[in-house]
Amino acid sequence: MALSHAIMTALLDGKTTGYELTKRFDTSLGFFWKASHQQIYKVLKDLEKQALLASEHVQQEGKPDKILYELTALGQEELNQWVMGSTHHRESKDDLLVKLYNLSADNTLHLLEALSTRRETVEKKLALYRLIESRNYKNPSKLDLRHQGIFLALSAGISDCEHSLSWVKKCETLLSDL
Amino acid sequence: MALSHAIMTALLDGKTTGYELTKRFDTSLGFFWKASHQQIYKVLKDLEKQALLASEHVQQEGKPDKILYELTALGQEELNQWVMGSTHHRESKDDLLVKLYNLSADNTLHLLEALSTRRETVEKKLALYRLIESRNYKNPSKLDLRHQGIFLALSAGISDCEHSLSWVKKCETLLSDL
DNA sequence: CGGTACATGTAATCTGTTACATGATTCA
DNA sequence: TGAATCATGTAACAGATTACATGTACCG
């Protein structure tokens, strides 16, 4: 289960709660690995059972109690071994591409709308990535090695957005000229 | 379940067997929607139960019998409605990006290898896409509407490969200069 | 008074993967 | 003799999604 390794990776930055991870999985690492809070809480428990994580219950006032998790030495080792193992890639599944296989006079307008929605989504994401880049990765060569790696992942996200934006625009042009 | 709609879409080109679909899902539509034969056979049965597909058993000599499936009018209608509905996109999950978050002196060489494997995979895929493009989509504007849609999907695949190739190369350059 | 943030979960269901199973024919 | 192609499936398990559940505090 690679979600476990994504979670362990997120814990390289220090102790956190499931709640925090859920939010971080909506940004940062989560750009590349979406997960719901239900999944995250479950995996955290499983990883603790395997002694890959250790937890600490913290009582709070005015807020619900929370559980801080951190990587154990065993978890760190497991993570290192995972990095050295074979690399899997589950490709995306995008209704939009399948829908294009169904292009007809009846649905052209609707698909143009879907393309425009997609364009807005990608534009927002790209703006966010660029914001993060300009804030934290101005001088990538001055960063420590790990942050250079994060920078490379971020730049994958950015170029991915740029490519799909230009593809969407091309589609919009072609379809609106029909 | 969107796999059903991908399968119904594949059946727009005419009757086929689960076996054929499995192979087609390794090329063509399958570029955008991977599925194993186990999944496909199951969905075909389910769709037939719902009367969205009709089947025909064909006996063969020297080969196992086969089952041809085709879209029913009900299936066609369901497919049309799906196209007009909301569009979902499950983004890819790529170990490589998570692994880059773990970049260290210990694993740099290993990640360079992983990048080079990825480059080869993408190069092969791109070559195949381009072959298909040059064979069937030389003059996209002369195609009927549906095939123009397919062409747009194909061009998404091509630009996706191109972008990730250039990203991989950039990573290889940066990491090998360390 | 309604919404959002904080914080954690269970249960049911749906999808996807891996392993296992069968059996003839053709090609090297 | 062994591998690949044709052709279809079952079963177990892993992973992801959706629905349901609880309860405080703060802001407008």
Side-chain angles (χ1 to χ4, degrees):
Chain A
M1 184 177 15
L3 173 58
S4 354
H5 297 104
I7 286 176
M8 288 192 266
T9 298
L11 287 171
L12 289 174
D13 286 321
K15 298 182 185 183
T16 23
T17 65
Y19 188 79
E20 254 300 302
L21 282 169
T22 302
K23 281 197 305 176
R24 211 182 291 175
F25 272 63
D26 274 337
T27 57
S28 181
L29 225 201
F31 291 147
F32 314 117
W33 210 282
K34 302 285 172 211
S36 62
H37 69 106
Q38 293 92 333
Q39 262 182 293
I40 289 171
Y41 286 120
K42 191 179 177 304
V43 171
L44 284 170
K45 285 194 164 180
D46 292 349
L47 291 174
E48 196 186 4
K49 264 183 206 153
Q50 297 174 251
L52 302 172
L53 299 184
S55 73
E56 185 190 334
H57 291 250
V58 178
Q59 282 183 315
Q60 299 186 115
E61 282 170 34
K63 292 178 187 178
D65 296 353
K66 63 183 180 182
I67 306 169
L68 283 169
Y69 288 93
E70 71 183 320
L71 260 186
T72 61
L74 194 64
Q76 179 63 257
E77 206 192 311
E78 161 60 31
L79 185 57
N80 291 340
Q81 276 176 23
W82 172 76
V83 172
M84 301 303 279
S86 69
T87 301
H88 299 282
H89 184 194
R90 257 170 245 183
E91 280 168 59
S92 75
K93 294 195 171 172
D94 187 353
D95 283 4
L96 190 50
L97 295 174
V98 179
K99 287 185 176 184
L100 281 172
Y101 272 69
N102 288 272
L103 184 63
S104 77
D106 290 339
N107 58 34
T108 304
L109 279 174
H110 179 260
L111 290 179
L112 267 168
E113 255 183 71
L115 282 162
S116 140
T117 307
R118 172 66 52 88
R119 184 167 40 73
E120 281 162 28
T121 311
V122 177
E123 275 166 353
K124 272 180 201 158
K125 209 171 152 190
L126 180 57
L128 181 56
Y129 285 177
R130 285 200 172 131
L131 182 68
I132 293 172
E133 192 189 34
S134 66
R135 271 195 198 150
N136 307 304
Y137 300 95
K138 267 284 170 200
N139 283 73
S141 55
K142 288 186 183 167
L143 298 167
D144 62 75
L145 200 48
R146 188 166 77 88
H147 286 273
Q148 288 194 35
I150 298 177
F151 169 72
L152 290 176
L154 181 64
S155 72
I158 288 176
S159 70
D160 184 44
C161 284
E162 287 171 341
H163 124 263
S164 55
L165 250 187
S166 68
W167 174 78
V168 169
K169 284 177 184 165
K170 176 186 158 186
C171 290
E172 290 185 303
T173 308
L174 288 177
L175 289 192
S176 54
D177 281 353
L178 291 175
Chain B
M1 186 176 15
L3 173 57
S4 355
H5 298 103
I7 286 177
M8 288 193 266
T9 297
L11 287 171
L12 289 174
D13 286 321
K15 297 183 184 185
T16 22
T17 64
Y19 188 78
E20 255 298 302
L21 282 171
T22 303
K23 282 197 302 175
R24 210 181 293 174
F25 272 64
D26 275 337
T27 56
S28 182
L29 226 201
F31 291 148
F32 315 117
W33 210 281
K34 302 285 173 211
S36 63
H37 69 106
Q38 293 92 333
Q39 262 183 294
I40 289 171
Y41 285 121
K42 192 179 176 303
V43 171
L44 285 171
K45 287 196 163 180
D46 292 349
L47 290 174
E48 197 186 3
K49 266 182 208 155
Q50 297 173 251
L52 302 172
L53 300 184
S55 75
E56 184 190 335
H57 290 251
V58 179
Q59 281 182 316
Q60 299 186 114
E61 282 170 34
K63 292 179 187 176
D65 297 353
K66 62 183 181 182
I67 307 168
L68 283 170
Y69 288 93
E70 70 181 323
L71 258 187
T72 61
L74 195 63
Q76 179 62 257
E77 206 193 311
E78 160 60 31
L79 185 56
N80 291 341
Q81 276 177 23
W82 172 76
V83 172
M84 300 302 279
S86 68
T87 302
H88 299 280
H89 183 195
R90 258 169 244 184
E91 281 168 58
S92 75
K93 294 195 173 175
D94 186 354
D95 283 5
L96 191 50
L97 295 174
V98 179
K99 286 185 178 184
L100 281 172
Y101 272 68
N102 288 270
L103 184 63
S104 75
D106 290 339
N107 59 34
T108 304
L109 279 175
H110 180 261
L111 290 179
L112 267 168
E113 257 182 71
L115 281 162
S116 139
T117 307
R118 172 65 54 86
R119 184 167 40 73
E120 282 162 28
T121 311
V122 177
E123 275 165 355
K124 273 180 202 158
K125 207 171 154 192
L126 180 56
L128 181 57
Y129 285 177
R130 286 202 173 128
L131 182 69
I132 293 172
E133 192 188 33
S134 67
R135 272 196 198 150
N136 307 305
Y137 300 94
K138 266 285 170 201
N139 282 73
S141 54
K142 289 184 184 167
L143 298 167
D144 63 74
L145 201 48
R146 189 166 77 87
H147 285 274
Q148 288 195 34
I150 298 178
F151 168 72
L152 289 176
L154 181 64
S155 72
I158 289 177
S159 70
D160 183 44
C161 284
E162 287 171 341
H163 124 264
S164 57
L165 250 187
S166 68
W167 174 77
V168 169
K169 283 176 185 166
K170 175 186 159 187
C171 289
E172 290 185 303
T173 308
L174 287 176
L175 289 191
S176 55
D177 281 352
L178 291 176

